[in-house]
Amino acid sequence: MRTARRYLAREIFRSCAVVLLALLGLFTFFALVDDLDNVGDKFSMLALLYMQALALPTRLYDLLPIGLLIGAILALAGLAQRNELVILRVSGVSGMRLLGMLWIITLPLVIGATLLSEFVTPAAEIKSGEASLMFRGKASGARMDSGYWFKEPTRNGGTRIINIATLLANGDVEGVTLYEFKPGQELTTLSKAATGSFTNDKLVLHDVAETHLDDAAAQALANAKQPTTLPAQVTKVAQRELDTTLSPDRLLARVLTPERMSLNTLLDYIDYLNQNQLDASRQIVALWRKVAYPFTLFVMITIAAPIGFMQTRRGGVGAKVFVGILLGVGFFMLNQLALNVGMLSRWPPWLTALGPNVGAVLVALGALSLMEYRHATTRLIQTRWPWRKNPV
């Protein structure tokens, strides 16, 4: 069976490669046409091509399930039309055994998709964000026009808000603004630093200008009286060490959308959000989406499996393949919709991520079993049907 498995893998991989190249070319062409209006003096055509090249890993990751489905259906339909699957059936390969072979064939694609998601896609997204700021001067990803914002508690029970204008590739930061509040949400200190770097789990700020607000200033201004002391004092220090829960990895995680983070970065960022009592629902949904992604590939190959047992002698293979592709694409779209609706409706993330996949696998396995045992099922219905009339 190793020879048969290698032959199936070669046919499926070849068909999937052709389909993925066609889909990548089509979607890249549409993206290029959509961005042609932005080409100008600052944003050249070469910059546009560079950004589209950086988007290829993410686009490939998104299109891989659809490409696997269409490629596997076309490959299996071709084998069935050439009666090569009949030879496998005659040699003793059952439908479930063929499905097991297809799952084994899918394993290299799952490993490749995992490596793509954990290493290539996050790096490409970071480069794409930097290129967008350089060429377009526009914020991208999770960056606002005012920079990146972080919130964390302080040791005295207060709150600290950190604004960072620029994240550098080496993990350093530029344009840091620090707001420190007392437990009553009363601003006490406003600090601005030109640059900052992380050393020994501390954020070291350089060229810091600190504005300290007097405790009685707010009450004096509220009573419309002239304060007896200066309401604010500005001091400058060359360096200040700040105990913070931030790290270079968490700063880079802020650049990426949750779906584009690596698994370790996403887990660390969820832990950071929970520690600081921030909403992590979107990140949790993205985590379950990444966990369910390999299972989605197995679902796609399972949907394609019944195509191999379709009758081809009566014709209509093209229509059946087209229906199979529509069903697979519809499932993929329904899966994405269920994840978004589940996040909005506060459904359990594991249910919205795994529910459609489990349902699709059960339906595909039922269809495969029905096709494999259709003759036995037909005979059972003919003999056991309660309203069947006895022959005279």
Side-chain angles (χ1 to χ4, degrees), residues 302-303 306 327 356-370:
T302 305
I303 294 175
L327 290 176
N357 291 289
V358 174
V361 166
L362 294 177
V363 172
L365 289 177
L368 184 62
S369 301
L370 184 62

Side-chain angles (χ1 to χ4, degrees), residues 63-216:
L63 293 175
L64 183 58
I66 298 297
L68 175 61
L69 171 71
I70 298 176
I73 287 179
L74 293 178
L76 291 176
L79 293 175
Q81 195 170 19
R82 297 192 298 268
N83 295 324
E84 293 177 274
L85 288 180
V86 176
I87 299 175
L88 288 177
R89 293 298 305 275
V90 172
S91 62
V93 178
S94 63
M96 294 302 172
R97 191 172 182 182
L98 175 62
L99 181 60
M101 295 170 61
L102 294 178
W103 283 348
I104 295 175
I105 291 171
T106 310
L107 285 177
L109 295 178
V110 172
I111 296 174
T114 303
L115 295 177
L116 186 67
S117 173
E118 292 297 308
F119 301 103
V120 181
T121 301
E125 285 290 315
I126 293 174
K127 291 292 184 181
S128 179
E130 295 174 353
S132 179
L133 290 174
M134 181 185 301
F135 298 127
R136 297 181 177 181
K138 295 171 56 178
S140 63
R143 186 187 188 278
M144 300 181 181
D145 292 336
S146 56
Y148 304 94
W149 293 86
F150 303 91
K151 176 186 175 184
E152 60 184 10
T154 57
R155 293 183 177 180
N156 60 356
T159 304
R160 178 190 297 133
I161 297 178
I162 303 175
N163 174 245
I164 298 175
T166 306
L167 302 179
L168 303 180
N170 58 359
D172 294 344
V173 295
E174 291 182 349
V176 182
T177 303
L178 184 65
Y179 304 88
E180 296 178 88
F181 297 86
K182 293 194 299 186
Q185 299 300 319
E186 182 179 343
L187 182 64
T188 58
T189 306
L190 171 63
S191 305
K192 291 187 176 183
T195 59
S197 59
F198 287 91
T199 305
N200 298 327
D201 297 330
K202 293 183 178 181
L203 177 58
V204 181
L205 303 177
H206 306 279
D207 299 329
V208 185
E210 297 182 346
T211 303
H212 299 275
L213 302 180
D214 188 77
D215 294 338

Side-chain angles (χ1 to χ4, degrees), residues 116-363:
L116 186 67
S117 173
E118 292 297 308
F119 301 103
V120 181
T121 301
E125 285 290 315
I126 293 174
K127 291 292 184 181
S128 179
E130 295 174 353
S132 179
L133 290 174
M134 181 185 301
F135 298 127
R136 297 181 177 181
K138 295 171 56 178
S140 63
R143 186 187 188 278
M144 300 181 181
D145 292 336
S146 56
Y148 304 94
W149 293 86
F150 303 91
K151 176 186 175 184
E152 60 184 10
T154 57
R155 293 183 177 180
N156 60 356
T159 304
R160 178 190 297 133
I161 297 178
I162 303 175
N163 174 245
I164 298 175
T166 306
L167 302 179
L168 303 180
N170 58 359
D172 294 344
V173 295
E174 291 182 349
V176 182
T177 303
L178 184 65
Y179 304 88
E180 296 178 88
F181 297 86
K182 293 194 299 186
Q185 299 300 319
E186 182 179 343
L187 182 64
T188 58
T189 306
L190 171 63
S191 305
K192 291 187 176 183
T195 59
S197 59
F198 287 91
T199 305
N200 298 327
D201 297 330
K202 293 183 178 181
L203 177 58
V204 181
L205 303 177
H206 306 279
D207 299 329
V208 185
E210 297 182 346
T211 303
H212 299 275
L213 302 180
D214 188 77
D215 294 338
Q219 185 64 32
L221 293 175
N223 296 332
K225 295 181 180 180
Q226 183 177 0
T228 57
T229 60
L230 292 176
Q233 293 181 355
V234 180
T235 59
K236 292 186 178 182
V237 294
Q239 181 175 304
R240 178 188 174 186
E241 291 187 354
L242 185 68
D243 292 326
T244 178
T245 56
L246 293 177
S247 64
D249 293 337
R250 288 174 176 176
L251 291 180
L252 292 178
R254 191 66 177 89
V255 178
L256 303 175
T257 55
E259 291 78 13
R260 306 309 176 198
M261 296 180 186
S262 63
L263 192 59
N264 292 332
T265 304
L266 190 56
L267 288 172
D268 181 71
Y269 195 61
I270 291 175
D271 181 64
Y272 163 77
L273 294 176
N274 292 331
Q275 288 180 1
N276 294 280
Q277 299 179 353
L278 299 174
D279 185 22
S281 58
R282 183 184 178 190
Q283 285 74 18
I284 294 175
V285 171
L287 175 64
W288 279 100
R289 180 177 298 191
K290 293 183 72 68
V291 172
Y293 184 86
F295 191 50
T296 303
L297 297 180
F298 288 112
V299 171
M300 291 301 181
I301 201 70
T302 305
I303 294 175
I307 303 298
F309 294 91
M310 285 186 175
Q311 294 290 342
T312 61
R313 290 174 295 179
R314 300 177 183 177
V317 179
K320 295 178 181 179
V321 171
F322 180 70
V323 171
I325 293 173
L326 286 182
L327 290 176
V329 173
F331 156 74
F332 188 75
M333 296 177 63
L334 181 63
N335 192 16
Q336 301 300 315
L337 180 62
L339 289 170
N340 296 327
V341 172
M343 184 174 62
L344 293 175
S345 303
R346 302 290 182 177
W347 294 347
W350 62 268
L351 178 62
T352 57
L354 298 178
N357 291 289
V358 174
V361 166
L362 294 177
V363 172

Side-chain angles (χ1 to χ4, degrees), residues 12-66:
I12 291 176
F13 289 161
R14 183 186 304 169
S15 181
C16 290
V18 173
V19 172
L20 284 174
L21 285 176
L23 291 176
L24 281 175
L26 185 63
F27 279 84
T28 302
F29 174 75
F30 288 153
L32 282 171
V33 172
D34 187 51
D35 281 345
L36 281 179
D37 294 338
N38 299 323
V39 175
D41 296 334
K42 295 182 179 179
F43 188 58
S44 62
M45 189 66 185
L46 185 61
L48 175 60
L49 294 176
Y50 175 67
M51 293 195 63
Q52 290 302 321
L54 291 175
L56 286 178
T58 302
R59 199 167 288 138
L60 176 62
Y61 181 78
D62 293 335
L63 293 175
L64 183 58
I66 298 297

